[in-house]
Amino acid sequence: MLRFVIMALGAAAIALPAAAQGQFPAEIRTQEIAANGATIHVRVGGTGPAVVLLHGYGETGDMWAPLAEDLVRDHTVVVPDLRGLGLSSKPETGFDKKTQAGDVAGVLDALKIDRADLVTHDIGNMVGYAYAVQHPERVRRFVLIDAPVPGIGPWEEILKNPLLWHFRFGGPDMERLVEGRERIYLDRFWNEFSAVPSHFSEAAREHYAKLYALPGAMHSGFAQFAAFDQDAVDNKAFLAAKGKLGMPVLAIGGEKSFGPMMATVMRFAASDVTEGIIPDSGHWIMEENPTATSVMVRSFLSSP
């Protein structure tokens, strides 16, 4: 039902405040939290039930500014940068998602948050799943947006998609090839995975390209992908040992991207899955259709 409500609403039915790129409301502060061998840059603020927003590759926690501006009205909002990305520290190791789930646990422990909702996108889905499957008692509701989870469902078939060539991009020269050309590399993803490339704004492209040009950032990004084989092994072991997730799950796909496949994937790993489709959007849902995304997420999180 939720899917069809959002499809009917369309892109502009409900106007939400438009946060500037990376500009969070004044009540959200930033802090650095030592967690699990890394220093995680975190935006946190608001009062009420906690919600953690995890970003993916090609962006940082800054992607969540419009959603955070909406949710902070009645939630405690926690927005980390994943280890190695954005303004978090850039360690040499620890990019398997099981380890990064420990980063999330460490952040929430430092903030004295016992239980939270999760809203995740792209690689954030993978970190979020590793966290939720290890700490199900700490997750009330879980939203995953437009990316597969290694080892879950049709993972091997998804890997055959030629658009996902970057999952296997590697070798001794990869960092040297993109050094100083980060914008060229990232534009490929912003363009190919958008329904309309111009909806991923020039300001956002400049913003993220600068962050990915920071020392160690591209290395960390490549390491996120290089860990997928280990992530698949870990996730298969989690599923075999712990079974499917029991908390309510909303699996959202961009209409021009994963679409209903997102729910198909998550039904292999969760027992209570609602399908959601963001209209007029490819992969970059918060750039392409933040209004519909925010409406859908808030509606799901507000359910009893």
Side-chain angles (χ1 to χ4, degrees):
M1 179 62 71
L2 184 58
R3 171 190 174 187
F4 299 110
V5 169
I6 290 296
M7 291 293 284
L9 284 172
I14 298 178
L16 295 176
Q21 186 60 53
Q23 295 297 310
F24 286 77
E27 57 266 45
I28 293 182
R29 64 190 185 277
T30 61
Q31 64 186 93
E32 314 306 311
I33 296 178
N36 198 32
T39 301
I40 305 300
H41 179 75
V42 182
R43 309 149 190 83
V44 58
T47 58
V51 56
V52 180
L53 312 180
L54 299 178
H55 70 92
Y57 185 74
E59 297 179 294
T60 70
D62 290 339
M63 68 169 282
W64 295 115
L67 180 59
E69 186 171 358
D70 175 44
L71 292 178
V72 77
R73 293 180 290 133
D74 49 12
H75 288 78
T76 299
V77 177
V78 180
V79 189
D81 285 344
L82 298 180
R83 71 161 56 202
L85 300 179
L87 298 180
S88 289
S89 68
K90 295 168 177 62
E92 284 295 316
T93 60
F95 294 97
D96 63 281
K97 310 314 174 287
K98 181 178 178 180
T99 295
Q100 292 186 81
D103 298 349
V104 176
V107 166
L108 294 180
D109 288 346
L111 296 173
K112 301 186 184 326
I113 294 173
D114 293 326
R115 197 163 185 249
D117 295 326
L118 289 181
V119 180
T120 64
H121 178 246
D122 192 81
I123 285 177
N125 289 354
M126 306 172 189
V127 177
Y129 174 75
Y131 178 80
V133 75
Q134 293 179 90
H135 305 284
E137 75 287 352
R138 300 188 71 172
V139 180
R140 191 185 72 95
R141 286 177 170 260
F142 188 6
V143 181
L144 301 95
I145 304 174
D146 211 73
V149 177
I152 299 299
W155 172 249
E156 295 299 328
E157 289 301 310
I158 290 169
L159 288 177
K160 296 175 183 178
N161 187 328
L163 286 175
L164 303 181
W165 60 268
H166 57 291
F167 282 13
R168 298 295 188 186
F169 181 58
D173 297 316
M174 60 182 180
E175 291 176 45
R176 197 159 57 90
L177 286 169
V178 299
E179 185 176 0
R181 305 177 182 89
E182 294 85 4
R183 171 67 188 268
I184 296 171
Y185 185 76
L186 292 166
D187 268 336
R188 174 59 52 195
F189 306 120
W190 295 330
N191 291 337
E192 289 191 349
F193 296 153
S194 296
V196 180
S198 62
H199 290 172
F200 201 112
S201 71
E202 178 62 23
R205 291 168 189 251
E206 290 183 1
H207 176 80
Y208 291 122
K210 288 178 181 177
L211 288 169
Y212 277 82
L214 292 173
M218 290 300 288
H219 171 83
S220 299
F222 292 137
Q224 297 278 2
F225 296 111
F228 281 0
D229 287 346
Q230 182 60 53
D231 298 334
V233 170
D234 290 340
N235 290 340
K236 289 176 182 178
F238 286 143
L239 192 57
K242 298 175 178 292
K244 292 185 176 184
L245 299 175
M247 76 285 296
V249 167
L250 173 61
I252 298 175
E255 181 184 19
K256 306 299 183 181
S257 185
F258 260 72
M261 177 58 71
M262 193 66 234
T264 298
V265 168
M266 288 313 300
R267 289 190 178 108
F268 285 90
S271 57
D272 181 4
V273 177
T274 299
E275 176 187 316
I277 305 290
I278 300 299
D280 305 316
S281 181
H283 177 66
W284 310 105
I285 46 90
M286 291 306 297
E287 302 292 340
E288 300 183 72
N289 199 340
T291 296
T293 305
S294 297
V295 170
M296 181 178 282
V297 169
R298 173 173 279 281
S299 177
F300 179 73
L301 298 186
S302 298
S303 300

